[in-house]
Amino acid sequence: MALAAVLAAACRQPEPPAVRRTLRLTTGTPGAAFHPLSQALERAWAEAFPALDVQTRDSAGSVANVEAIQSGDADVGLAFADVAYTAYVARLAKGAPEADSLRGIAVLELAPVHLVVRGDSTVRSVAGLRGCRVAVGPEGSGSAVTARVVLAAIGIDLKDVQVESLRYNEAAVRLKAGTIDALFVTGRDPVEAVRDAVGAGARLLPLAGPAIERLRHEYPFYRQTLIPGGMYPRHPDPLDTIGVDTLLVCRRGLDEALVHDLTARFFAVLPSLPMLSFMDLDQAPATPIPLHEGAGRYYRERELSR
């Protein structure tokens, strides 16, 4: 009996090792909100799926992430709602293809738009930026898209300002040094670059008034919101601004079961992600682009389990 057991064990085929798969996560620029959130997602998915090799790469931001997913150079990433929708239904740039490979996983949180000026600046509103040196974020970022939309809404032509396409941390350093006059950055509070600049004496300005109201009606992705009081030094009161939703997006051809499991894991670790503490769970499936079928299955299962 013992000999038969030994022989049977010797003939039994070993379990095949789990097939390793690669997930390419395109992130953002250090100093803004995409970067720490992407790092948290990388850790959560890597811990939950040992056979999944999660590879992250920094990018300029929202536009670059959408383009990387559309071209097949990335699988998952973050994007602002206005950029994702524009890419899907139209084109982000003349001659660019429609982003028909782009799919949604979740609506995350509203990201406020921050306008920061030097502490000694005489500029008191966005309309005062004419003739100034303005950092709008890197080319390929959602912040750069929004900054140009805001300036146009105020009636400021790009030729009337000196646009600097800087990474956010570099822009904060330049603002403190006085070699630029203002910076735009879109992201969930607190934004690292904003905190650094304001901590050194810079000021946040509101985005409000009739021109901003017209902008919100023309571009429904921009919604009224507040930068909370006390979020940044010497800014005890809430500040009016606009914001745009952040989306978790992916490539249409990504495996349905994998996207389902990634979505489920994301919601399992959501309570441990302080940068998403105000996420509206009921609005999560309401992406302005089609949901990936794997994410859609997760939401259907979630509804049935309630």
Side-chain angles (χ1 to χ4, degrees):
M1 180 74 71
L3 179 60
V6 170
L7 291 174
C11 294
R12 189 181 302 125
Q13 294 295 317
E15 290 290 328
V19 177
R20 289 197 63 81
R21 304 173 69 176
T22 298
L23 183 76
R24 299 164 299 170
L25 172 61
T26 181
T27 64
T29 301
F34 280 8
H35 203 259
L37 177 54
S38 296
Q39 291 176 325
L41 290 174
E42 176 192 13
R43 290 191 297 270
W45 287 335
E47 290 171 3
F49 309 111
L52 187 65
D53 182 15
V54 183
Q55 299 178 355
T56 61
R57 70 170 195 182
D58 290 354
S59 78
S62 193
V63 175
N65 291 348
V66 166
E67 291 176 342
I69 290 172
Q70 172 63 22
S71 66
D73 293 330
D75 300 308
V76 181
L78 298 167
F80 291 131
D82 56 340
V83 171
Y85 179 79
T86 301
Y88 182 78
V89 303
R91 290 170 173 80
L92 287 170
K94 187 176 181 179
E98 295 180 7
D100 56 351
S101 291
L102 192 64
R103 290 295 183 269
I105 294 178
V107 178
L108 305 183
E109 273 195 359
L110 194 69
V113 180
H114 303 76
L115 171 57
V116 189
V117 298
R118 297 199 326 261
D120 60 353
S121 174
T122 60
V123 175
R124 294 289 181 249
S125 72
V126 64
L129 291 178
R130 187 174 277 103
C132 291
R133 300 161 296 180
V134 183
V136 298
E139 287 295 333
S141 68
S143 292
V145 171
T146 301
R148 288 177 167 88
V149 169
V150 169
L151 290 172
I154 297 298
I156 298 177
D157 193 280
L158 289 182
K159 68 177 183 297
D160 296 328
V161 294
Q162 182 179 324
V163 173
E164 300 267 3
S165 299
L166 302 175
R167 287 177 170 253
Y168 305 109
N169 285 340
E170 181 186 355
V173 171
R174 292 272 303 274
L175 193 70
K176 291 185 286 186
T179 58
I180 60 172
D181 303 301
L183 70 86
F184 279 93
V185 56
T186 303
R188 184 196 185 277
D189 294 303
V191 177
E192 179 185 341
V194 175
R195 184 183 59 210
D196 291 349
V198 172
R203 291 183 289 110
L204 279 159
L205 295 184
L207 291 176
I212 297 299
E213 284 301 304
R214 290 193 297 271
L215 167 66
R216 291 200 306 110
H217 288 293
E218 185 176 354
Y219 296 92
F221 290 109
Y222 299 124
R223 307 208 310 270
Q224 186 175 14
T225 188
L226 293 171
I227 297 172
M231 181 62 65
Y232 299 102
R234 297 180 306 282
H235 289 72
D237 299 322
L239 199 70
D240 289 313
T241 188
I242 55 174
V244 62
D245 282 322
T246 302
L247 308 180
L248 182 60
V249 296
C250 68
R251 184 169 52 82
R252 180 181 63 182
L254 208 55
D255 179 70
E256 187 269 354
L258 175 60
V259 175
H260 171 275
D261 293 347
L262 294 174
T263 308
R265 181 59 181 169
F266 166 74
F267 282 98
V269 302
L270 186 58
S272 67
L273 301 178
M275 67 283 288
L276 294 178
S277 56
F278 295 103
M279 181 175 169
D280 185 341
L281 299 183
D282 290 332
Q283 289 299 310
T287 58
I289 59 174
L291 280 172
H292 190 283
E293 56 186 4
R297 176 161 68 90
Y298 166 80
Y299 291 120
R300 291 192 296 274
E301 292 171 351
R302 189 178 74 174
E303 285 299 309
L304 290 173
S305 67
R306 287 185 173 182

